[in-house]
Amino acid sequence: MLQMKCPKCLETINSPFLIELGAIECEHCHKEVKVGDVFVTTKNMSMHRDALLKRLRNYRLMLHEMEKERNVLQKNQSATNSEKESKRNTNSQKSLDQHYAALRELLEAARDNYRLSMTEGLSVKLEVAGGQPPVELINISTRGAAVKISESPKPPVQNAPVKLHLSLPDIKKTYLIEAKVVWVQPDPSGAEGQFALGLKFLNPDKALQQRLFQHIYETYKKSSV
């Protein structure tokens, strides 16, 4: 979550959209105030966003190292026969998982744009080299999206160009968005032909960005009531 102190009433304003808004209405005094001096907060820590961004590369490397360590512990857990060693590995795994989750939450909250995972009402189709595989929207922001494709023996490679057809609720127009693949992950279940893709929008239409942000913002507010 992103936070800032209201310059009018000095109460804390909480909103995941602070970076995307130039001004926001304070939830306490209901005055419109300029966004500034933003903090990133999680269950376990709070950090000024500017300070976090300066250390972002180091934190990402730390997250990567934690992922490798988690994989090692999981393999050790499967291979061990000793009850004592198994318990020690389990405790180490729990501790590492807690630190991993906290760091990941911190990095997610530091993003420039909010990702909406409540994608009901949004319709998408994906064009990749070789056709249009079945696709499911995982999350979306004004600058990109994550999708799950199935029945695809070979997914697009990183940096491959793709086209996303997006329909918003209550708007009859379908938008065509040029994008590129920024990451590819196999399905965690190991299901053959299923992959998750991270997409970055390339020069999206400003009118679409405004409508998309409005949909994301209104959906989030409804879910928070």
Side-chain angles (χ1 to χ4, degrees), residues 17 114 116 118 216-225:
F17 299 98
Y114 177 75
L116 179 71
M118 295 165 287
I216 292 171
Y217 188 60
E218 289 177 358
T219 302
Y220 174 82
K221 286 199 300 183
K222 287 178 183 177
S223 71
S224 302
V225 174

Side-chain angles (χ1 to χ4, degrees), residues 29-40:
C29 66
H30 303 292
K31 302 285 187 181
E32 185 173 278
V33 296
K34 186 178 178 179
V35 172
D37 206 23
V38 177
F39 282 76
V40 179

